[in-house]
């Protein structure tokens, strides 16, 4: 085959690829980074976000937790705005509780357990109070069964606070 015949074929393949991207055809979800059911992923640079509140879970969980929020979340908390606006993202980090080797009465983070994410999009997540959920263990999404319990727990306990457990720490 001559080089001149290959050029139209290559250009045709580029056109098809470009049309697929431009059409907004959904890409296959990356099951290694996106939660089942909701399609939520761990946000980039979330560790640089603001602290919303610390938390401590007693037995049987026995974890230390902190909740971080993006700027939209922090602004909503400061303004006392409920429901939270679309674009709010909350990330909960959790570690097993461990006694400090330097100071016996103190508890410090031990082994990390989960990263949990809530994303507010009232249109996309209308069926779950406007929130999408993601639970990640070792950087990978938890299974679908664990995600099915997210909204049910929030709905049963904190429906009156826009389905969010965390209050802003003064």
């Amino acid at each position: 085959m001559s080089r001149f015949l290959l050029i139209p074929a290559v250009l045709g393949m580029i056109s098809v690829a470009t049309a697929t991207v431009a059409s907004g055809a959904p890409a296959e979800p990356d099951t290694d980074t996106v939660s089942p059911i909701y399609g939520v992923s761990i946000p980039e640079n979330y560790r640089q976000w603001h602290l919303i509140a610390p938390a401590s879970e007693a037995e049987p969980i026995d974890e230390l937790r902190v909740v971080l929020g993006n700027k939209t979340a922090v602004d909503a908390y400061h303004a006392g705005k409920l429901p939270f606006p679309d674009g709010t993202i909350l990330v909960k980090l959790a570690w097993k509780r461990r006694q400090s080797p330097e100071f016996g009465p103190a508890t410090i983070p031990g082994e990390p357990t989960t990263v949990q994410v809530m994303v507010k999009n009232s249109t996309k997540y209308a069926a779950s109070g406007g929130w999408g959920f993601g639970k990640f263990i070792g950087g990978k999404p938890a299974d679908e069964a664990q995600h099915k319990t997210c909204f049910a727990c929030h709905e049963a306990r904190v429906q009156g606070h826009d389905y969010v457990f965390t209050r802003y720490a003064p």
Side-chain angles (χ1 to χ4, degrees):
M1 186 179 280
S2 104
R3 283 183 274 190
F4 296 110
L5 292 177
L6 284 176
I7 292 172
V10 170
L11 290 175
M13 288 188 287
I14 291 170
S15 296
V16 170
T18 304
T20 302
V21 171
S23 72
E28 288 297 313
D30 181 355
T31 56
D32 286 340
T33 61
V34 175
S35 69
I37 302 171
Y38 301 99
V40 169
S41 60
I42 297 174
E44 286 187 39
N45 302 316
Y46 72 92
R47 294 293 292 257
Q48 282 77 51
W49 291 0
H50 291 262
L51 175 69
I52 301 298
S56 178
E57 296 289 331
E59 294 296 330
I61 297 172
D62 199 27
E63 289 182 338
L64 295 174
R65 297 175 171 192
V66 296
V67 176
L68 307 175
N70 67 355
K71 182 173 180 359
T72 305
V74 171
D75 291 348
Y77 273 109
H78 284 172
K81 184 173 180 137
L82 285 178
F84 288 91
D86 282 358
T88 297
I89 305 175
L90 300 171
V91 177
K92 181 190 295 179
L93 304 167
W95 301 267
K96 281 310 225 180
R97 185 190 320 257
R98 186 172 82 115
Q99 185 178 17
S100 169
E102 292 85 14
F103 185 62
T107 301
I108 61 172
E111 196 65 28
T113 59
T114 62
V115 174
Q116 298 175 43
V117 182
M118 288 180 67
V119 176
K120 182 69 180 265
N121 182 323
S122 55
T123 303
K124 184 175 182 179
Y125 304 117
S128 53
W131 292 97
F133 299 88
K135 181 176 184 179
F136 301 86
I137 301 168
K140 303 286 184 199
D143 63 27
E144 188 170 325
Q146 290 184 48
H147 282 88
K148 284 183 179 178
T149 64
C150 293
F151 180 61
C153 183
H154 286 250
E155 182 178 39
R157 293 174 175 83
V158 285
Q159 188 172 3
H161 194 254
D162 194 22
Y163 308 100
V164 176
F165 283 100
T166 305
R167 303 308 195 266
Y168 193 77

